[in-house]
Amino acid sequence: MHLICGSVQLADAPPDSGHTGIVTNGMPGIHIEHYVRAARSKDIDEILPLYVDNRIELYAVLAHEKHQDVWEQLTTQMLGRLHGEELLHQQTCVEHFFRRFVGLHSTIPGDTTVQFHIEEQVSQVAQWGGIGPVLARILREAIETAGEIHNNTHLSAGSATVADAIPEIIAKIMEQASSVLILGRNEYVLPIIESLAEAGFERLFFAHPDMGIAHELALNDALYSLTDAHIRLPIEWEQRHEMLAECDVVITMLTPEQISGTKEATPCITLREAQSHLDSRKNRPLVIVDCSSEGGESEANIDPGFYQQENVFIYTLSDLEKVVQQNIQRRRRTIPQAQKRIAKRAQICMQRLYGKDRYLFDGMIARSPVMHTVLELTRRAATSDANILIQGETGTGKELIARAIHRQSHRAEGSFVTINCGAIPEDLLESELFGHVKGSFTGAMSNKQGLLEQAHHGTLLLDEIGDMSLPLQVKLLRAIQEGEIRSVGSTEQRTIDVRIVASTHRDLEELIQEGTFREDLYYRLNVIRITVPPLRERREDILPLAEAFLRRFAAPRRSFGRPDQRTLRLQPEVERCLLAYEWPGNVRELENVIERAVALSFGGMIRIESLPSSLCQQPAQGQVTPEQLIQEAMDQQYSLRELEAQYIEQVLKASDWNHTLATQILGISRTTLWRKMNDYGISKE
């Protein structure tokens, strides 16, 4: 795995080295284990300068899945040394990272090398605990920022290397070129081959006075990896002039001296031998590029007669370098414009991350890493047109996910239609989905348009698809496959363009085994599967959800003359109770509990008395209640220190060692938690 963030590269170390390596600009050979040891020993003097200089880049390194605990510990130590400022909460930090990502800090403005590595890692980073979801969001914002800048400015316009300048000048001369003859070999050959391959040149021919070198070039492993889908052929040196009849481009890499040992020798291609082959081209353009070491100093490597030929375009190494310098100057003039865009995007990013709506995505609240992963998949699914299957327990928010997909898709202007397949009898469900014509059955007094047709150019949500009967599943499958429907009682086929989103709380694979759900329909629906976790598995979302429901239900009461509702908040005991409950009814149950609590509240505070009694009596699975610990401590005659240590450890285990959740349950800060864990020797191992 590689993760490059700005100037820090996280890379796989050799298998036997036992650690992961970091390569930094000007600091090769430094390894992450050095910083891990420094963090664990509380000696941060060596790491602090690099941390401050690279800011978010080092966060990415220390957020690596193997070292999440070290990142949290290091951050806690850093806060005191950095005057309490959290680097990821600073807009300047995000701007710094965006500038590196876009390429403003590179020697060549607009260099996109970093981007290619980071784009591959976003989905993986999102699944990390701790800083992972926040870092992934910043990486996504960086990708969008780079796209906006590169599409609307000249920051990445034109070639930035000699190798890339060759396809650029060729494209200006001829619309389509496919074959290249490369004469000789020097330090430019590999980057030129890579650039030609990326530009779409399909045939590469290699010639050299030493036929062994020509074969070596054509069979080079590096060239195979660069041009896997292209033709690479060695040719005899004597055939080089004949190839001018079919090749669009000739690149010379040999000087006369390199060919025969004397500067007075003739160039590698001469007009006398090439004339007949040039004539056979029938005025098709020919580009000759001299990339030999003397190309910029003299014209000795090009037969002067070629300059007199029509449709023959000659470039030397110095010409290519001039093109590159012109492009770089044009890029540099774009930097102020790019910086303004970056500052604006960084401000938007900070608002999304830390503003009042930081946990929202299209009306959904997600603070937990598992839900960040779900919403990332939702974002990506929304951009496609594939059918989607949403699975999850009742009350987890499957319909919210479906609505978000519709609103974020290109079908947002179309209708979003929903139907609960388990709430309508089979005979009526068919009519609801496909429509019917007048007189098709008793009670059909007029023509009726079905929901599939109503959702044309939009989205249809089939809620509880697992409750649909087998005969109706057959008809639905045909509609999805053919994109056509026929109303009940009609012989006319009508074309539909509908995206199907199906949801269920049941295990469809189990229903397939039982013979109550068609396997072919399952595969049609299950193109993209989104599994919404139950609330008990994402406890970080409980309090943000509760606060959102609190604001919603308190607003109407303020309009009825209840000024105490303006600052309605939860008591700490209520928060602990909400966090400890198992929530079998998931988000829907939490919503009902908060609505009841608001209705029974007084004095601007939600108290424990406003909650259902059953909610406060059930501890989370695996969690030991304070009463149980006190009784055990009295029986075993524990000291107060031993009792506190055991309770902290039990809360950490119950929260799956999620420090954020544990601090909320314990009612202490993260710094206090770390100190007590160190004092009591509590660790996950």
Side-chain angles (χ1 to χ4, degrees):
M1 175 189 137
H2 292 73
L3 176 61
I4 301 182
C5 290
S7 59
V8 179
Q9 173 177 333
L10 179 62
D12 291 331
D16 299 331
S17 66
H19 58 270
T20 305
I22 294 180
V23 181
T24 65
N25 290 344
M27 303 182 68
I30 300 176
H31 296 284
I32 192 172
E33 292 298 336
H34 168 76
Y35 300 106
V36 172
R37 287 193 297 271
R40 286 180 173 152
S41 65
K42 301 183 180 180
D43 180 12
I44 61 174
D45 290 333
E46 296 182 64
I47 191 174
L48 184 61
L50 182 62
Y51 185 92
V52 173
D53 178 60
N54 291 290
R55 299 182 176 101
I56 201 171
E57 291 90 325
L58 193 58
Y59 268 92
V61 172
L62 294 179
H64 188 263
E65 53 195 352
K66 297 180 181 178
H67 305 291
Q68 290 174 23
D69 60 325
V70 179
W71 176 85
E72 294 189 6
Q73 183 175 355
L74 183 65
T75 299
T76 301
Q77 298 172 31
M78 290 286 185
L79 291 179
R81 297 288 293 274
L82 299 175
H83 311 290
E85 294 180 343
E86 171 61 84
L87 292 179
L88 277 183
H89 289 213
Q90 295 181 10
Q91 183 173 326
T92 54
C93 166
V94 177
E95 286 186 34
H96 171 93
F97 176 66
F98 282 8
R99 286 194 296 270
R100 285 189 180 276
F101 185 85
V102 172
L104 297 189
H105 288 187
S106 303
T107 304
I108 301 174
D111 180 21
T112 58
T113 305
V114 171
Q115 296 177 27
F116 297 136
H117 296 277
I118 290 183
E119 289 177 2
E120 299 174 356
Q121 299 298 330
V122 173
S123 58
Q124 182 175 351
V125 171
Q127 299 177 33
W128 297 349
I131 198 62
V134 175
L135 183 59
R137 184 65 179 269
I138 293 176
L139 297 185
R140 286 194 299 271
E141 293 282 350
I143 292 172
E144 293 178 6
T145 301
E148 175 186 314
I149 289 174
H150 292 159
N151 290 335
N152 296 283
T153 71
H154 294 295
L155 188 64
S156 59
S159 55
T161 66
V162 167
D164 290 338
I166 294 177
E168 181 180 340
I169 62 175
I170 293 172
K172 293 178 180 178
I173 295 171
M174 59 186 80
E175 293 183 1
Q176 185 175 4
S178 61
S179 56
V180 180
L181 172 62
I182 298 177
L183 302 176
R185 177 181 64 179
N186 62 17
E187 67 273 18
Y188 293 106
V189 67
L190 285 180
I192 287 176
I193 294 297
E194 181 175 10
S195 182
L196 291 172
E198 291 179 354
F201 286 85
E202 298 176 351
R203 298 190 299 165
L204 306 177
F205 300 96
F206 301 90
H208 196 281
D210 184 342
M211 191 60 185
I213 294 179
H215 278 280
E216 181 183 337
L217 281 170
L219 300 175
N220 188 288
D221 289 340
L223 297 188
Y224 267 97
S225 65
L226 295 175
T227 62
D228 187 56
H230 299 73
I231 298 173
R232 301 168 303 279
L233 294 175
I235 64 169
E236 297 286 347
W237 181 249
E238 292 74 15
Q239 294 180 296
R240 65 190 186 280
H241 290 95
E242 299 175 18
M243 298 302 297
L244 297 183
E246 65 175 284
C247 288
D248 302 306
V249 182
V250 178
I251 301 176
T252 65
M253 297 187 179
L254 289 176
T255 65
E257 182 179 20
Q258 290 170 326
I259 296 174
S260 61
T262 170
K263 288 189 175 182
E264 285 70 29
T266 57
C268 58
I269 54 173
T270 63
L271 182 61
R272 181 174 59 83
E273 296 184 58
Q275 187 66 65
S276 62
H277 304 296
L278 289 177
D279 293 341
S280 67
R281 296 182 62 84
K282 298 180 180 179
N283 290 324
R284 283 190 298 119
L286 173 67
V287 177
I288 300 176
V289 182
D290 183 7
C291 287
S292 61
S293 58
E294 296 181 1
E297 300 175 5
S298 93
E299 299 178 354
N301 302 320
I302 303 293
D303 188 324
F306 281 105
Y307 287 92
Q308 310 303 320
Q309 298 293 309
E310 292 185 6
N311 289 324
V312 175
F313 302 87
I314 300 173
Y315 293 88
T316 64
L317 199 58
S318 60
D319 294 328
L320 300 179
E321 291 171 347
K322 288 178 183 177
V323 172
V324 170
Q325 288 304 316
Q326 290 172 357
N327 290 337
I328 290 177
Q329 290 301 321
R330 184 168 56 169
R331 292 185 179 197
R332 286 175 178 161
R333 289 194 293 270
T334 304
I335 289 179
Q337 181 183 358
Q339 288 177 330
K340 290 181 180 179
R341 289 178 179 266
I342 286 175
K344 183 177 180 180
R345 289 300 298 255
Q347 183 179 11
I348 294 173
C349 179
M350 297 301 291
Q351 290 173 349
R352 291 174 177 173
L353 286 172
Y354 304 112
K356 63 179 181 179
D357 295 330
R358 60 189 179 277
Y359 305 136
L360 296 179
F361 170 69
D362 203 273
M364 292 178 292
I365 294 176
R367 188 176 185 179
S368 61
V370 64
M371 276 305 292
H372 275 274
T373 302
V374 170
L375 295 189
E376 171 63 20
L377 178 58
T378 302
R379 287 187 184 95
R380 292 160 62 187
T383 60
S384 77
D385 214 24
N387 294 332
I388 297 174
L389 177 63
I390 305 176
Q391 292 186 302
E393 295 180 7
T394 300
T396 51
K398 298 187 291 297
E399 184 172 339
L400 275 177
I401 294 282
R403 289 185 180 276
I405 290 171
H406 173 73
R407 283 192 289 260
Q408 300 294 325
S409 72
H410 69 91
R411 297 177 177 270
E413 297 299 321
S415 300
F416 179 78
V417 182
T418 68
I419 184 170
N420 190 316
C421 300
I424 302 176
E426 178 184 350
D427 53 346
L428 293 181
L429 182 58
E430 181 179 9
S431 174
E432 285 292 317
L433 286 174
F434 297 93
H436 63 256
V437 297
K438 181 179 179 180
S440 57
F441 55 85
T442 303
M445 306 302 294
S446 62
N447 293 341
K448 178 181 178 180
Q449 188 181 55
L451 297 182
L452 281 164
E453 203 167 356
Q454 291 179 28
H456 188 55
H457 294 317
T459 304
L460 174 64
L461 171 62
L462 299 174
D463 195 13
E464 298 305 340
I465 187 69
D467 295 333
M468 181 179 288
S469 66
L470 283 171
L472 198 51
Q473 290 179 32
V474 175
K475 192 168 183 178
L476 175 63
L477 174 63
R478 179 174 177 80
I480 295 174
Q481 288 182 161
E482 305 298 332
E484 294 181 343
I485 61 169
R486 187 173 62 190
S487 299
V488 177
S490 174
T491 58
E492 179 188 355
Q493 296 280 3
R494 291 188 301 281
T495 301
I496 57 170
D497 175 20
V498 180
R499 184 188 205 170
I500 302 295
V501 178
S503 66
T504 180
H505 72 284
R506 306 177 69 179
D507 186 342
L508 295 187
E509 294 180 353
E510 185 177 313
L511 296 182
I512 292 172
Q513 296 298 322
E514 296 173 358
T516 58
F517 199 86
R518 293 184 62 91
E519 187 174 11
D520 47 6
L521 177 59
Y522 171 73
Y523 290 124
R524 282 289 178 181
L525 298 174
N526 190 32
V527 180
I528 299 176
R529 182 192 301 187
I530 299 175
T531 302
V532 187
L535 190 56
R536 61 182 173 276
E537 294 180 6
R538 49 181 179 116
R539 295 184 181 275
E540 299 95 327
D541 297 333
I542 293 175
L543 294 184
L545 283 167
E547 291 167 1
F549 294 143
L550 204 62
R551 291 191 296 270
R552 182 202 301 176
F553 295 125
R557 293 173 64 83
R558 287 198 296 270
S559 64
F560 282 102
R562 291 288 303 276
D564 59 310
Q565 304 296 314
R566 188 177 302 278
T567 56
L568 197 61
R569 61 186 186 277
L570 303 173
Q571 273 189 333
E573 293 83 358
V574 172
E575 292 183 351
R576 286 193 284 271
C577 189
L578 296 178
L579 289 169
Y581 186 57
E582 285 296 283
W583 300 108
N586 294 295
V587 179
R588 185 178 294 123
E589 182 183 9
L590 174 61
E591 181 181 12
N592 293 337
V593 166
I594 297 300
E595 183 176 14
R596 165 200 164 103
V598 170
L600 301 178
S601 66
F602 60 92
M605 182 73 69
I606 299 294
R607 293 176 169 79
I608 201 75
E609 297 82 9
S610 301
L611 301 181
S613 57
S614 59
L615 188 141
C616 300
Q617 294 173 355
Q618 178 187 350
Q621 185 177 358
Q623 181 177 332
V624 179
T625 64
E627 292 78 10
Q628 291 172 316
L629 279 178
I630 292 171
Q631 185 60 50
E632 182 182 355
M634 293 177 64
D635 295 341
Q636 302 294 330
Q637 296 185 342
Y638 288 154
S639 67
L640 184 59
R641 176 184 175 86
E642 292 171 327
L643 179 61
E644 184 181 45
Q646 186 174 347
Y647 184 60
I648 291 174
E649 185 172 10
Q650 290 291 343
V651 170
L652 285 167
K653 289 179 179 178
S655 60
D656 196 24
W657 296 89
N658 184 309
H659 295 167
T660 300
L661 179 57
T663 56
Q664 291 174 343
I665 296 174
L666 294 168
I668 59 178
S669 67
R670 292 173 68 90
T671 304
T672 302
L673 177 60
W674 270 112
R675 189 183 74 250
K676 289 183 178 295
M677 289 175 65
N678 289 334
D679 291 345
Y680 298 146
I682 300 173
S683 65
K684 189 173 183 179
E685 293 76 21

